[in-house]
Amino acid sequence: MDGRFIIVEELGKVNLLTPDGKLLKKLPIPGQAFSVTQINQNTIAVTYPYEKAIKIFNMENETVTKVITLDKHCWGLSSSDDSLVVVYCVDQSGKQIWQYKQDLSGPEGLCTDTYGNIIVADRDLIE
């Protein structure tokens, strides 16, 4: 929102970069992070597929404020209107709003477009 970038090294560290791409700091979030989305100016959500969890992280005070546990691996997520989208959508309290009803063999990435459509990338995943 302010031009900074948040980059996740695959199954690794979460890095905060300046608008021109220089490392500002490594965010102290433990675990094997995979993907990230920004919820608001100071809050991000990070997926941890092998923990089957999403961690909500406050960048201002550098703490994990909430852990959402899942029953499946979560590889990708997006945020829209104070809600997280992870093949199913939950609000900030964790209450499920809707769920994708089609069969997916390996949903791994998703995003929203400017019209509010949700695009899900699927791939064959062996568990």
Side-chain angles (χ1 to χ4, degrees):
M1 294 177 177
D2 61 5
R4 295 178 295 173
F5 293 92
I6 301 166
I7 304 291
V8 178
E9 298 173 23
E10 186 172 346
L11 299 177
K13 304 295 180 200
V14 181
N15 301 317
L16 180 62
L17 283 69
T18 61
D20 61 352
K22 295 179 182 166
L23 179 65
L24 187 60
K25 70 168 105 174
K26 292 186 180 283
L27 300 177
I29 311 174
Q32 294 182 313
F34 189 82
S35 65
V36 64
T37 190
Q38 185 174 20
I39 296 172
N40 60 41
Q41 184 69 28
N42 291 309
T43 309
I44 60 173
V46 184
T47 64
Y48 290 82
Y50 296 114
E51 294 178 38
K52 296 183 181 175
I54 298 169
K55 296 179 184 178
I56 309 300
F57 183 77
N58 183 303
M59 295 190 305
E60 192 171 46
N61 61 22
E62 297 189 344
T63 59
V64 174
T65 58
K66 184 171 189 162
V67 176
I68 300 170
T69 56
L70 306 167
D71 62 354
K72 295 184 180 184
H73 300 284
C74 175
W75 296 93
L77 78 166
S78 185
S79 177
S80 178
D81 297 327
D82 292 327
S83 297
L84 290 177
V85 181
V86 190
V87 182
Y88 59 91
C89 182
V90 297
D91 64 17
Q92 287 183 331
S93 70
K95 178 184 171 194
Q96 184 172 314
I97 298 169
W98 59 263
Q99 181 174 354
Y100 187 76
K101 300 294 185 184
Q102 300 288 357
D103 290 330
L104 296 172
S105 60
E108 188 165 300
L110 60 97
C111 65
T112 56
D113 65 15
T114 56
Y115 301 104
N117 298 307
I118 299 168
I119 297 111
V120 180
D122 188 22
R123 74 170 182 93
D124 186 29
L125 179 68
I126 301 171
E127 293 187 359

